[in-house]
Amino acid sequence: MSKRGQTTALNIYRLLLDTYGKQHWWPSDSPFEMMVGAILTQNTNWQNVEKAITQLKAADALDAQVMLDMDEAKLRELIRPSGFFRQKAARLRLFCHFYLKHGGESGIKDLKDPRRLLLSLNGIGPETADSMLLYALGMPVFVVDAYTRRIFARLGFTAADATYQDLQDYFHAQLERDAPLFNEFHALIVQHAKQHCRVKPVCQSCPLSIPCAFSSSNA
DNA sequence: GGCCAGGTGTAAA
DNA sequence: TTTACACATGGC
């Protein structure tokens, strides 16, 4: 491994891939399910999202038109385990309207500026929009999340108070614009963070050979 | 019982 | 332009 000053984001990617292997993201049966999951997972544990998606499937409600036709109260109950269910029910319906209006994921991908239009929807911010672009539409945009910010700040690569755009710019500058690479990298970041980069600054037996600011070997 | 989880919108300083 | 707060369930 190179010294810290020479270490790049790509080095970290290779290290994570060697450690964890391919992650096969995003877990979903369809682009629409993926995009629904992106909204449901906002500030929420993925396990809770799975409960909600399971309930939607069981009710034959994982469909844009069905979600628009049913009572919003019913939709709330189906997605309740994912938390913030009142907000998310409304956000899902706004998105479903958008989805049908533009002819599904293929129609959305053909828009002139799908990111800008997704961001114009209430309830879809940069991470949700970029997740959809990358994981449902296969577009090469890097997805930044709380784990990304935490890991790369602790490694000393980016500022702790960097904005979403700052972080995305950093990765876009460091890496080739490659959707499969961005797909795998983000998934690996999540996998790693869940095990070794929790909020409490205790990094035990971290597999990254580069000590971050909170790793036990660097404390 | 408290903390945390694959954010976002709004309002106030 | 930044900061604070509401939104809510479930696992540990």
Side-chain angles (χ1 to χ4, degrees), chain A residues 8 14 43 56 70 89 101 114 130 141 169-171 187 190 194:
Chain A
T8 64
R14 289 174 175 148
N43 203 44
L56 286 170
M70 80 171 84
K101 176 182 173 184
D130 288 341
V141 291
D169 289 347
Y170 165 78
F171 288 99
V190 173
K194 282 181 174 176

Side-chain angles (χ1 to χ4, degrees), chain A residues 109 114-115 129-144 164-165 168-169 171-173 175-184 186:
Chain A
K109 186 174 182 179
R115 188 176 197 269
D130 288 341
S131 294
M132 290 177 175
L133 295 176
L134 178 62
Y135 289 104
L137 308 183
M139 299 174 68
V141 291
F142 198 93
V143 176
V144 174
Y164 186 96
Q165 197 58 55
Q168 189 177 58
D169 289 347
F171 288 99
H172 284 176
L175 305 167
E176 294 296 314
R177 280 282 191 131
D178 183 65
L181 168 65
F182 290 175
N183 176 324
E184 200 60 48
H186 176 70

Side-chain angles (χ1 to χ4, degrees), chain A residues 53-170:
Chain A
I53 289 178
T54 296
Q55 295 192 166
L56 286 170
K57 285 182 174 175
D60 285 319
L62 195 54
D63 176 273
Q65 191 63 58
V66 171
M67 284 194 212
L68 287 172
D69 289 343
M70 80 171 84
D71 285 343
E72 187 153 322
K74 174 64 176 173
L75 182 57
R76 286 177 174 182
E77 288 313 303
L78 291 172
I79 68 168
R80 179 184 279 270
S82 71
F84 303 124
F85 57 89
R86 296 180 189 86
Q87 280 189 10
K88 286 176 179 175
R91 291 174 177 184
L92 275 179
R93 289 162 69 97
L94 281 175
F95 171 72
C96 286
H97 176 74
F98 176 88
Y99 179 87
L100 291 175
K101 176 182 173 184
H102 294 292
E105 56 272 1
S106 59
I108 294 170
K109 186 174 182 179
D110 288 340
L111 293 170
K112 187 158 296 179
D113 190 350
R115 188 176 197 269
R116 183 180 64 78
L117 291 171
L118 283 168
L119 288 175
S120 74
L121 296 177
N122 189 296
I124 296 190
E127 183 183 339
T128 306
D130 288 341
S131 294
M132 290 177 175
L133 295 176
L134 178 62
Y135 289 104
L137 308 183
M139 299 174 68
V141 291
F142 198 93
V143 176
V144 174
D145 65 353
Y147 291 149
T148 310
R149 173 173 287 100
R150 191 184 307 157
I151 290 176
F152 283 81
R154 288 182 182 177
L155 286 170
F157 288 16
T158 54
D161 62 349
T163 65
Y164 186 96
Q165 197 58 55
D166 290 338
L167 285 157
Q168 189 177 58
D169 289 347
Y170 165 78

